[in-house]
Amino acid sequence: MRLNIAIDGPVGAGKSSIADEAARRLGILHLDTGAMYRALGLTALRKGVSTEDEAAVTNLCRHLNIAVSHEKDGQHTFVDGEDVTGLIRTPEVSMAASSVSRYTDVRKEMVRLQQKLAAETDMLVDGRDICTTVLPNATAKIFLTASPEERARRRWLEMQAKGQTETYEQVLEELKKRDEQDMNRLVEPLRQAEDAVLLDSTHLSFEQVVDRVLEIVEEKRHG
Ligand code: DC
C-alpha cells in the first residue's frame, strides 16, 4: 500500500526541516506544498498581478506550469521551466503566497497537482490542508505546532543566519499576520484534522520532534 504521511501546521512550526529529515529517515520523498503557493505568489509579484485580485490570480495560476523535482539538495520548484527555488523564501513572497492561497480555484489546481504527485510514489507531504483535504486517507496525520513566540524565535534565528535584518518583533508580527490570514480564510483554513495527532514542539529539540514523528508513523503503520 502507498505510504503517504501528512503534516500540517502554522508558519514556522518547523514543518519543512522536520519533514525533510523524517522523510529522509523513512527513505521517501518530501513534498513541500508551501513552495507551490510561493511559486504562484512570486509570479504574481513579478508580473505585477495584484494578489487581492482573485480573478487575475486565478487566471495566472491556470496558465502557469508549476512543477517540482527532488534532487540531492532537496526539492526544487519550477515555474514554466524556470527554477525559482532560490527566490521564494523572502518575506514579500511569504505574504503573497498566503494571499493567493485564499482563492478557491487556485486551491483546486494545487490540490489536484499535489494529489497526483502523492499517488505516484511514497511521500511525506507538508502544508496547511494536507490532513484535511489533500490526503484524507494518509497513513499518518500530524498537526505540528509551537507557541507563536517560539516559532518567531526560530524563524528569526534562521533569518539572522542568512544575513537578513528583520528584528524579532517584526518576525513575530509577520508570523501572527500570516497565521491570522491562513486560519481565517474562507476556503480550507488551517485547522487540526480530527484524526491528526497533535505534536507541540515548543519545548522539544529538533531530534526529539523527528523521533516523535517517526514513532507516530510506526504506530499508525503497524497499529
Ligand atoms: O508553508 P509555507 O510557509 O511555505 O506556505 C506559504 C503559504 O502558502 C502559507 O502562508 C499558506 C499557503 N499554503 C496553503 O494555503 N496550503 C498549503 N498546503 C501550503 C501552504
Side-chain angles (χ1 to χ4, degrees):
M1 217 182 76
R2 187 64 64 239
L3 177 61
N4 279 162
I5 298 157
I7 302 187
D8 288 323
V11 178
K15 290 190 306 291
S16 276
S17 48
I18 296 291
D20 250 355
E21 180 59 13
R24 195 186 64 77
R25 290 210 215 158
L26 288 164
I28 62 176
L29 294 181
H30 164 216
L31 178 66
D32 168 5
T33 61
M36 298 163 71
Y37 291 94
R38 286 172 180 271
L40 176 61
L42 170 75
T43 309
L45 293 177
R46 277 172 149 188
K47 293 196 186 256
V49 171
S50 164
T51 54
E52 296 307 305
D53 185 341
E54 178 166 0
V57 170
T58 303
N59 190 42
L60 179 66
C61 181
R62 289 214 176 101
H63 292 93
L64 281 187
N65 180 16
I66 295 178
V68 301
S69 74
H70 290 91
E71 312 292 337
K72 280 217 174 64
D73 63 349
Q75 175 173 313
H76 283 236
T77 308
F78 298 83
V79 175
D80 290 339
E82 179 192 353
D83 188 342
V84 295
T85 312
L87 305 174
I88 57 175
R89 299 286 156 197
T90 66
E92 293 73 31
V93 174
S94 299
M95 261 332 275
S98 173
S99 296
V100 300
S101 74
R102 289 172 298 170
Y103 303 137
T104 311
D105 288 341
V106 165
R107 301 202 68 81
K108 273 195 195 148
E109 280 295 311
M110 297 290 188
V111 169
R112 194 183 52 76
L113 182 55
Q114 292 155 12
Q115 287 176 332
K116 184 167 162 278
L117 293 169
E120 283 167 3
T121 180
D122 289 350
M123 217 173 228
L124 188 158
V125 185
D126 90 89
R128 302 289 189 289
D129 59 341
I130 311 305
C131 301
T132 49
T133 308
V134 179
L135 300 174
N137 299 318
T139 318
K141 296 183 181 183
I142 296 169
F143 191 81
L144 181 63
T145 191
S147 70
E149 290 72 20
E150 177 60 17
R151 289 186 282 126
R153 193 185 68 83
R154 291 178 193 167
R155 178 142 292 216
W156 176 66
L157 287 175
E158 248 174 52
M159 291 170 106
Q160 284 222 311
K162 284 191 205 156
Q164 293 171 342
T165 54
E166 275 83 357
T167 63
Y168 167 80
E169 285 72 24
Q170 284 170 322
V171 176
L172 180 62
E173 195 187 322
E174 192 253 356
L175 180 140
K176 284 185 172 167
K177 215 160 104 191
R178 211 143 61 90
D179 270 0
E180 162 82 20
Q181 183 157 292
D182 293 346
M183 289 175 180
N184 294 309
R185 68 177 177 226
L186 294 174
V187 200
E188 291 155 12
L190 170 67
R191 64 183 173 82
Q192 183 184 344
E194 271 169 29
D195 53 355
V197 177
L198 177 66
L199 177 45
D200 184 334
S201 72
T202 308
H203 303 295
L204 299 180
S205 69
F206 179 82
E207 279 300 316
Q208 286 172 320
V209 181
V210 174
D211 286 347
R212 184 68 193 119
V213 168
L214 297 177
E215 257 172 43
I216 295 168
V217 171
E218 279 314 297
E219 280 164 22
K220 297 289 171 187
R221 253 174 132 178
H222 305 296

